[in-house]
Amino acid sequence: MTPRAERIPAEERREQILAAATTVFGELGYAGATTDRVARAAGISQPYVVRLFGTKEQLFLETLDRTLARLLASFRAALAEDAPGDATDREARLGAAYLELVEDRGTLLTLLHGFMMGSDPVIGPAARDGFLQVFRMLRDEAGFTPEQIHRFLADGMLINTLLASGIGLAAKRDRDAADLMDCTFGAHVAEVLERASA
Amino acid sequence: MTPRAERIPAEERREQILAAATTVFGELGYAGATTDRVARAAGISQPYVVRLFGTKEQLFLETLDRTLARLLASFRAALAEDAPGDATDREARLGAAYLELVEDRGTLLTLLHGFMMGSDPVIGPAARDGFLQVFRMLRDEAGFTPEQIHRFLADGMLINTLLASGIGLAAKRDRDAADLMDCTFGAHVAEVLERASA
DNA sequence: CCCTCTTGTAATCATTCGATTACTCCATTT
DNA sequence: AAATGGAGTAATCGAATGATTACAAGAGGG
């Protein structure tokens, strides 16, 4: 039949699909997402997604790689800003970089869904390796102390979880939910989280 | 055909199924788990699981309730120990209670998988409500300060994520993985995590 | 002894989903 | 103008899965 989608170079189309997949996998997880939903989000047909990536598993792996690369790139950019080399200052800059990533819900949620798949024989190792890349970055490139690493990762995971649970939506009606977000991160971060949940 | 499974009162059988479901959902998540795997883990047939719980969704909701109840009960028991009422001391006792829960991988992982389902119209609200119950407990019953709540939840989520990712397995072979666990939680907690991942 | 209720299964159904196949359309080349 | 190859889809297939149905087997009561 007449192709509805514009004809676009395969390389560019792959990138569109990966962007769509980041959103869909972030929202529904690996098992919950379907190749058809990714295809619709990318504006093309389901078989084409499969043809360009081989399998759903491979699509997820490439999506995971892409989100991890974005995370690391964002951190490295924050570290590269010309600023005093103080460790506390670097911590603040990385924190700000993380908060900017929250704006693109899909990136952080896809990463988190990857971490949750530890028992998968293929995705599990890939996700663990990604986690370790982040760890090494904080240790070797950011020069964080163990305690700084601990705090940074813990705060990140809490943000991820609150984001994934969609508690920002509840915060508009539920007083306790709003309290929780203010309480755990202060008004500024809470506002970012709430905005991203909408 | 001759029933292989022993005849057991329905109420008791439900509890067995919920225990099995906690393990299976914790490992595979809601979408990734099948009613058949839960049934096999409980030693009965798949249709019987469906009959006793109606739908897979309902089974997950009840499993979630059960895990949340266990978490809260464990915390309340820790708070009830006769000991000086100091807030820092309560924090330590709740932390120890949490670490004990890690031993039963399924409980914490099922909760975490529930939190990840924020976009589900039925499970999402239930999971958010569960999160808020924990929050209110820390605030009202444990008397935690906002900063204490923040730290406690953040550490919990990091533990959950490391547990889910199965990084304890990698720690045996990968030096960085072992470093990560030691680094973020100190040798004691790292050992618990490693044991629970096996 | 029969009746009935509870516990449980085998068989099967309908749907969903990932994947495959065979095709169309269009641009470029020769 | 015919040939080639890349971009894309419709149709369909097979496996998996949640759910339904119909049935079996034992326990207890009258």
Side-chain angles (χ1 to χ4, degrees), chain A residues 27 31-32 112-113 115-116 118-119 128 132 135-136 139 146 150 154-155 164-167 174 176-177 179-180 183-184, chain B residues 27 31-32 112-113 115-116 118-119 128 132 135-136 139 146 150 154-155 164-167 174 176-177 179-180 183-184:
Chain A
E27 190 176 333
L112 184 51
H113 277 293
F115 296 152
M116 301 285 299
S119 69
R128 285 191 285 274
L132 288 177
F135 168 66
R136 281 190 292 266
R139 184 190 59 187
H150 173 154
D155 281 356
S165 74
I167 217 163
D174 187 324
D176 287 336
D179 269 11
L180 166 61
C183 217
T184 49
Chain B
E27 189 176 334
L112 184 51
H113 276 293
F115 296 151
M116 302 284 300
S119 70
R128 285 190 285 274
L132 288 177
F135 168 65
R136 279 192 292 268
R139 186 190 58 187
H150 173 154
D155 281 357
S165 74
I167 217 160
D174 187 323
D176 287 335
D179 270 9
L180 166 61
C183 219
T184 51

Side-chain angles (χ1 to χ4, degrees), chain B:
Chain B
M1 182 197 178
T2 311
R4 291 116 202 259
E6 209 182 341
R7 271 179 72 101
I8 282 181
E11 209 44 48
E12 194 175 334
R13 190 62 91 179
R14 281 178 62 92
E15 174 55 30
Q16 290 181 356
I17 295 174
L18 285 173
T22 301
T23 300
V24 174
F25 282 131
E27 189 176 334
L28 302 170
Y30 174 68
T34 68
T35 55
D36 188 62
R37 287 197 61 144
V38 173
R40 282 182 211 277
I44 57 172
S45 67
Q46 179 262 346
Y48 198 31
V49 170
V50 175
R51 206 168 72 174
L52 285 186
F53 289 89
T55 65
K56 178 187 176 185
E57 184 178 73
Q58 190 58 33
L59 172 62
F60 186 77
L61 288 174
E62 292 196 35
T63 306
L64 202 58
D65 270 357
R66 181 175 173 274
T67 57
L68 181 69
R70 288 192 167 220
L71 183 83
L72 291 174
S74 166
F75 285 173
R76 291 198 169 104
L79 287 176
E81 287 171 9
D82 45 6
D86 181 75
T88 306
D89 187 62
R90 286 199 299 276
E91 192 175 10
R93 290 211 303 275
L94 284 196
Y98 197 85
L99 268 193
E100 282 178 24
L101 283 174
V102 171
E103 300 285 337
D104 174 18
R105 269 181 121 249
T107 297
L108 293 182
L109 293 186
T110 295
L111 276 170
L112 184 51
H113 276 293
F115 296 151
M116 302 284 300
M117 299 217 32
S119 70
D120 184 280
V122 174
I123 299 175
R128 285 190 285 274
D129 183 68
F131 202 117
L132 288 177
Q133 284 186 50
V134 175
F135 168 65
R136 279 192 292 268
M137 213 265 236
L138 296 175
R139 186 190 58 187
D140 303 334
E141 298 179 44
F144 276 15
T145 67
E147 183 52 30
Q148 279 180 311
I149 295 176
H150 173 154
R151 271 210 313 268
F152 188 81
L153 290 178
D155 281 357
M157 291 308 157
L158 179 52
I159 290 179
N160 288 344
T161 308
L162 290 176
L163 196 63
S165 74
I167 217 160
L169 293 175
K172 285 166 189 154
R173 277 163 288 108
D174 187 323
R175 175 61 183 276
D176 287 335
D179 270 9
L180 166 61
M181 297 212 302
D182 278 4
C183 219
T184 51
F185 288 110
H188 171 55
V189 178
E191 185 207 338
V192 173
L193 267 177
E194 210 166 331
R195 192 149 30 101
S197 288

Side-chain angles (χ1 to χ4, degrees), chain A residues 105 159-182 189-198, chain B residues 115 118 124 128 131-132:
Chain A
R105 271 179 120 246
I159 289 180
N160 288 344
T161 307
L162 291 176
L163 197 62
S165 74
I167 217 163
L169 292 176
K172 287 166 189 159
R173 277 163 287 109
D174 187 324
R175 176 59 183 274
D176 287 336
D179 269 11
L180 166 61
M181 297 213 301
D182 278 5
V189 178
E191 185 206 339
V192 173
L193 267 178
E194 210 167 328
R195 193 148 30 102
S197 288
Chain B
F115 296 151
R128 285 190 285 274
F131 202 117
L132 288 177

